[in-house]
Amino acid sequence: MNSLSGFRPVSLIATINEQGVSNLGVFSNIVHLGADPALIAFINRPREAAPHTIRNIEIRGKYTINHIHPAFVEKAHQCSAKYPDGVNEFHEVGLTPDYKDDFNIPYVAESRVQMGLELSEIIPLKNGTFLVVGNLVNAYVSEEALGNDGFINLAKTDSLVSLGLDGYYQVNPLQRFTYAKPDKAPGIIPF
Amino acid sequence: MNSLSGFRPVSLIATINEQGVSNLGVFSNIVHLGADPALIAFINRPREAAPHTIRNIEIRGKYTINHIHPAFVEKAHQCSAKYPDGVNEFHEVGLTPDYKDDFNIPYVAESRVQMGLELSEIIPLKNGTFLVVGNLVNAYVSEEALGNDGFINLAKTDSLVSLGLDGYYQVNPLQRFTYAKPDKAPGIIPF
């Protein structure tokens, strides 16, 4: 059932708890809400199932979202293990915290697409999950992904998608089309 | 900016308006909210930008979500053109409405993963967008995607993801891992 909605953009979300210990969790239900202001949201499961990330975001008001690529997918998946509160997943799985620009929450140094977010709102949904909405305040993207027209080609960062609870997939360009208009067929844009 | 959140599961959402005319729209901000009850949500842009789908869902309380694969990606992209209200995109772009099981809203016959949903709630978000939450009541998946363990491998249906406003991508299996536990490294599961 949890595969039906389709492939998902899988990322590591980094937070820091009240005692200053870093936390990393795997999240894949992530949506783009708008460009101006730049808002990205994700679904946090019910607190009893996934308590640390949402609580740390409530405490600190800040977090980072970091794309996953094949070189560290196994370490990233290991972050989905239920470590006790106060365990630093960076240390446990062997990923590198990357502090920069006074953001005070670590990015994942190994990641090619890193985003810093400030909490906008947390909306509880009827089934016990939460929509966590953040303002994008910082973004770092590997240079190879930047196209001439501002298009960011995440196939060049090899950013992964996931399916179900345990399947990771790579993504390859198929086709870019021109802006669709009612009176004519779409044209092709090179990647 | 709208690429940063990652690749998205791109689908056609079919609805019917008050006069009984079908509508198809392209949506890619789709999230799985939970398995029990089975809930899937999507983001509808502000009403002035994307008025038809959300209004039809409010009127009828039902809609279908249909995965896109390469054979009809150009027709699917053409559904993102701003056709006037009351234009039937099935006819305009050459896709086939598929009525079944007394659901009264068409599926896209060409699609290999078809879902029928009943509206659960519509949550207005601060930036003018809406989170539209639906109960999954019907699902049809091509047989080739069904694995022995209940895993649905959407690489076999060639379900696409999208990036930005106009990029469509294919997806290939990289790795499946066992359920992660704190005390050991994850194992590999065959696809």
Side-chain angles (χ1 to χ4, degrees):
Chain A
M1 155 61 210
N2 59 24
S3 299
L4 282 175
S5 59
F7 295 108
R8 309 172 190 162
V10 66
S11 282
L12 288 172
I13 296 185
T15 55
I16 294 189
N17 77 3
E18 213 158 5
Q19 289 75 39
V21 180
S22 297
N23 182 278
L24 275 178
V26 183
F27 289 81
S28 60
N29 279 301
I30 299 172
V31 287
H32 166 79
L33 286 189
D36 184 22
L39 295 174
I40 292 172
F42 72 93
I43 301 293
N44 197 103
R45 289 183 299 146
R47 284 182 196 274
E48 55 275 23
H52 303 153
T53 296
I54 189 168
R55 182 208 55 204
N56 293 353
I57 290 173
E58 288 168 328
I59 293 169
R60 301 271 175 176
K62 294 164 83 174
Y63 53 106
T64 73
I65 301 181
N66 308 271
H67 287 202
I68 297 167
H69 61 264
F72 66 97
V73 62
E74 183 170 340
K75 291 177 178 178
H77 181 72
Q78 184 62 20
C79 293
S80 66
K82 288 191 190 306
Y83 290 104
D85 195 18
V87 168
N88 180 335
E89 283 90 355
F90 280 104
H91 297 168
E92 290 299 317
V93 310
L95 290 169
T96 313
D98 178 13
Y99 287 91
K100 52 193 173 192
D101 286 349
D102 299 323
F103 194 62
N104 299 326
I105 306 286
Y107 299 90
V108 176
E110 288 80 358
S111 177
R112 295 175 181 150
V113 181
Q114 306 167 326
M115 292 171 276
L117 294 106
E118 287 176 358
L119 177 62
S120 170
E121 55 179 335
I122 295 179
I123 299 169
L125 304 178
K126 276 202 246 173
N127 71 338
T129 63
F130 300 87
L131 184 76
V132 181
V133 182
N135 280 295
L136 182 71
V137 294
N138 294 314
Y140 305 90
V141 180
S142 291
E143 211 172 324
E144 69 266 26
L146 301 174
N148 293 328
D149 59 353
F151 186 79
I152 297 173
N153 188 345
L154 297 178
K156 294 191 175 168
T157 57
D158 217 351
S159 294
L160 297 179
V161 293
S162 69
L163 190 65
L165 300 172
D166 53 28
Y168 295 84
Y169 291 73
Q170 278 178 298
V171 175
N172 295 305
L174 174 68
Q175 199 58 264
R176 269 187 87 186
F177 293 110
T178 54
Y179 188 81
K181 294 181 177 175
D183 54 349
K184 61 173 190 174
I188 304 291
I189 305 176
F191 272 99
Chain B
M1 156 60 208
N2 59 25
S3 299
L4 282 175
S5 58
F7 294 108
R8 307 172 191 162
V10 65
S11 282
L12 288 172
I13 295 186
T15 56
I16 293 189
N17 78 4
E18 213 160 3
Q19 289 74 39
V21 180
S22 298
N23 182 278
L24 275 178
V26 183
F27 289 82
S28 59
N29 280 302
I30 299 172
V31 287
H32 165 80
L33 286 190
D36 186 21
L39 294 175
I40 293 172
F42 72 93
I43 301 294
N44 196 103
R45 288 183 300 146
R47 284 183 196 273
E48 55 275 23
H52 303 152
T53 297
I54 189 168
R55 183 208 54 205
N56 292 352
I57 290 173
E58 288 168 329
I59 292 169
R60 301 269 174 176
K62 296 163 82 174
Y63 53 106
T64 72
I65 300 181
N66 307 270
H67 287 202
I68 297 167
H69 62 265
F72 67 99
V73 62
E74 183 171 340
K75 292 176 179 178
H77 181 70
Q78 185 61 20
C79 294
S80 66
K82 287 191 191 309
Y83 289 103
D85 194 17
V87 168
N88 180 335
E89 283 90 355
F90 280 104
H91 297 169
E92 290 298 318
V93 310
L95 290 169
T96 313
D98 178 12
Y99 287 91
K100 52 192 171 190
D101 286 350
D102 299 322
F103 193 62
N104 298 327
I105 306 285
Y107 299 90
V108 176
E110 287 79 359
S111 177
R112 295 174 181 150
V113 181
Q114 306 166 326
M115 292 171 276
L117 294 105
E118 287 176 357
L119 177 62
S120 170
E121 55 178 336
I122 295 180
I123 299 169
L125 304 178
K126 275 202 245 173
N127 71 339
T129 62
F130 300 87
L131 184 76
V132 181
V133 182
N135 280 295
L136 182 71
V137 293
N138 293 315
Y140 304 90
V141 181
S142 291
E143 210 172 325
E144 68 265 27
L146 301 175
N148 293 328
D149 58 355
F151 186 79
I152 296 174
N153 188 345
L154 297 179
K156 294 193 176 167
T157 58
D158 217 351
S159 294
L160 297 180
V161 294
S162 69
L163 190 65
L165 300 172
D166 52 29
Y168 296 84
Y169 291 73
Q170 279 178 299
V171 175
N172 296 304
L174 173 69
Q175 199 59 264
R176 271 187 85 185
F177 294 110
T178 54
Y179 188 81
K181 294 182 177 176
D183 54 347
K184 62 174 193 174
I188 304 291
I189 306 177
F191 272 98

